[in-house]
Amino acid sequence: MTTPNNCLCGSDLSYAQCCGLLHSGKSHATTAKALMRARFTAYAMRNGDYLLQTWDVPSRPEAIDFSKETGEWTSLDIISTKKGTEKDSKGIVEFKAYFTQDDEAKVMNEISRFVKKQGHWFYLDGKVKSVGSSEGPMNQGLNAPCACGSGKKFKRCCGKN
């Protein structure tokens, strides 16, 4: 696993000053957004141990198989957050994760749910809204059910600006 100079999460800090602190266990994410950033960086670095440690136990897989990964994760944009602050016990983070695959720039848009237990944030699950070329239009899935479980369409719930 190589260590980047600038953190891949987009914080403009060095990896050692940012996600490296969380990956090493010297610190923990205080918000769902911070955990999302650290998990993206862990995924880009193929740090399966951190991903499993920060995955809520009931939904956590037994292992993470990076052998089928053919692309490279390049950057992260946080689109929106709903709750997920230090005072909350649940949170939702919508993000776009950019990657290259077969020399083509692509992007994945996902809505992830997080839960806080005993003062620590954990990834619960996520719904991919779209995956496609970062150059062209993507299916935004605004009419899809919202991942927060409200029963409303995404555009009428967490998709509101």
Side-chain angles (χ1 to χ4, degrees):
M1 173 174 27
T2 60
T3 304
N5 291 329
N6 291 321
C7 197
L8 294 171
C9 78
S11 68
D12 292 329
L13 296 173
S14 72
Y15 171 77
Q17 296 172 316
C18 190
C19 292
L21 293 171
L22 282 70
H23 294 172
S24 68
K26 293 179 182 172
S27 183
H28 69 277
T30 58
T31 65
K33 181 179 177 180
L35 182 58
M36 179 64 243
R37 289 184 175 285
R39 286 180 56 84
F40 169 81
T41 302
Y43 203 92
M45 297 175 68
R46 291 168 166 59
N47 182 347
D49 290 340
Y50 183 79
L51 294 169
L52 291 172
Q53 290 168 8
T54 58
W55 207 312
D56 192 38
V57 174
S59 61
R60 179 173 50 202
E62 289 183 31
I64 297 174
D65 182 9
F66 290 110
S67 68
K68 296 176 182 149
E69 290 286 318
T70 59
E72 180 181 337
W73 297 97
T74 57
S75 64
L76 175 72
D77 281 335
I78 302 294
I79 305 302
S80 66
T81 59
K82 183 174 182 181
K83 298 194 177 189
T85 68
E86 293 180 31
K87 297 178 183 179
D88 297 313
S89 61
K90 294 180 182 179
I92 295 174
V93 178
E94 180 181 357
F95 66 92
K96 288 185 179 180
Y98 296 85
F99 62 102
T100 57
Q101 187 173 38
D102 300 324
D103 294 325
E104 184 180 346
K106 296 188 177 187
V107 61
M108 178 185 74
N109 187 197
E110 181 177 310
I111 300 172
S112 293
R113 296 189 311 153
F114 296 86
V115 62
K116 187 164 68 171
K117 296 180 177 179
Q118 298 176 341
H120 292 271
W121 283 100
F122 295 93
Y123 171 78
L124 185 59
D125 59 20
K127 287 201 180 229
V128 175
K129 288 176 56 178
S130 61
V131 177
S133 169
S134 64
E135 304 298 320
M138 293 179 11
N139 174 7
Q140 294 298 313
L142 295 176
N143 288 317
C146 192
C148 74
S150 68
K152 297 179 183 178
K153 291 180 180 182
F154 175 75
K155 69 181 178 184
R156 304 254 183 242
C157 191
C158 296
K160 286 183 180 178
N161 289 334

